[in-house]
Amino acid sequence: MKKIALAMMLIASFNVAHGGELENAQKLWDGKEFYKAFQIFNKLAEAGDVNAQLQLGEMYGFGEGTSEDPVKAEYWLKQAAIKGHPEAAGSLELVKQRQARHADIAYYTSSFDGANAAYAKFGCVRPQIPARSTTNVEVAAVNSGINTWTECYGRFIVNLKNVAAPERTIQPDVLKLMNNDEFLKATALIGKVYGEILTQASAIEKEVGNESVSWKNSTEQFAAENNAKVKSGIANTENEINKMGIAQRELMQRTQVKAVGMNK
């Protein structure tokens, strides 16, 4: 009985110490100190800790804190599975999926081109804006072109905002297969590419805006000058009409005077 009691005490004390190290390893993992976490998980896994075996297998499978090694990953995950860890089978499947989709991961970390958010994707037709318009028909046509382009550009901006976060750009089934370094690289590349897309599109927006303002000012100036000429023409016509009226009245008066003289 004494031997059994002593053995139970040793197991209990081992588990307490074991649990403390496991907790420390997990804190290091959460703090992205993967190499230090790997050292502890490796020690505990070899000592038979099923949770450490699971974590160690995942670290080998994803290359976190150590070189990626699918063979060692499979070994440790199977060890955890044998001991009944409920997540072991799922983790092993993720490791296998990761191995099969390295090319998809690499697209986001090194080859991402932003095709999903490209300005050209929306087919925005740049409006033809003349230096000025001289008819109402032409003004209506130019305004229609500007409004159509503005609406299209707005859809482009909304889409860019919606996909700006890497989690909304990277396909979910690929995102779950990335390790931390890969996600950081993908985030940097995605941000860079989206930034370039926005810069290029913003330059077009600025050009269209400047052309629109210049056209508006020139057209309004033309309209004002034309209206002034029309008003001036009307005034001149009215003056001529008035002059003609005065001349006619004077002629009538002279005619009447002569007629009176003749009667005498």
Side-chain angles (χ1 to χ4, degrees), residues 131-248:
R132 72 176 183 181
S133 295
T134 58
T135 68
N136 289 333
V137 172
E138 187 177 358
V139 168
V142 174
N143 273 328
S144 177
I146 293 173
N147 290 338
T148 298
W149 177 85
T150 300
E151 291 173 359
C152 183
Y153 185 81
R155 292 193 295 273
F156 155 74
I157 290 296
V158 169
N159 179 70
L160 188 59
K161 288 180 179 179
N162 287 339
V163 301
E167 293 87 347
R168 294 186 176 183
T169 290
I170 304 171
Q171 295 178 12
D173 57 338
V174 176
L175 181 61
K176 69 181 182 179
L177 302 178
M178 288 182 167
N179 63 29
N180 187 67
D181 286 344
E182 289 164 345
F183 178 72
L184 293 177
K185 287 180 181 178
T187 298
L189 180 57
I190 289 170
K192 177 175 179 291
V193 171
Y194 284 160
E196 292 172 350
I197 289 174
L198 180 59
T199 297
Q200 293 170 3
S202 295
I204 296 174
E205 180 197 24
K206 184 176 181 179
E207 291 173 359
V208 172
N210 289 339
E211 291 174 6
S212 299
V213 171
S214 178
W215 166 77
K216 178 177 181 292
N217 292 338
S218 296
T219 299
E220 288 179 346
Q221 182 180 355
F222 169 80
E225 292 173 352
N226 189 62
N227 289 338
K229 289 179 181 179
V230 170
K231 289 180 180 179
S232 176
I234 292 173
N236 290 336
T237 301
E238 289 176 346
N239 288 335
E240 291 300 321
I241 292 173
N242 289 335
K243 288 179 181 179
M244 289 175 64
I246 293 172
Q248 287 177 346

Side-chain angles (χ1 to χ4, degrees), residues 6-128:
L6 179 60
M8 293 298 292
M9 290 176 62
L10 288 174
I11 291 174
S13 62
F14 174 77
N15 285 337
V16 170
H18 206 193
E21 286 187 288
L22 190 64
E23 183 178 352
N24 290 337
Q26 189 61 52
K27 287 180 179 179
L28 289 169
W29 166 271
D30 293 339
K32 311 300 182 186
E33 296 186 66
F34 298 118
Y35 178 74
K36 291 181 179 180
F38 173 81
Q39 302 301 315
I40 299 175
F41 282 130
N42 185 63
K43 171 187 172 184
L44 297 180
E46 290 182 346
D49 186 289
V50 64
N51 291 311
Q53 289 173 344
L54 176 81
Q55 194 66 45
L56 185 64
E58 291 180 349
M59 294 185 81
Y60 272 123
F62 282 76
E64 297 278 28
T66 186
S67 298
E68 187 171 345
D69 190 330
V71 175
K72 289 183 179 179
E74 183 174 358
Y75 170 78
W76 285 111
L77 290 173
K78 284 185 175 179
Q79 290 298 309
I82 291 171
K83 291 187 177 181
H85 200 296
E87 297 178 17
S91 294
L92 181 57
E93 178 59 27
L94 278 180
V95 169
K96 290 180 179 180
Q97 289 179 21
R98 173 178 165 81
Q99 294 305 309
R101 304 196 66 178
H102 271 306
D104 295 326
I105 294 173
Y107 167 71
Y108 291 105
T109 60
S110 59
S111 305
F112 180 72
D113 58 7
N116 61 314
Y119 171 75
K121 172 185 175 183
F122 291 81
C124 299
V125 178
R126 183 164 178 165
Q128 298 299 311

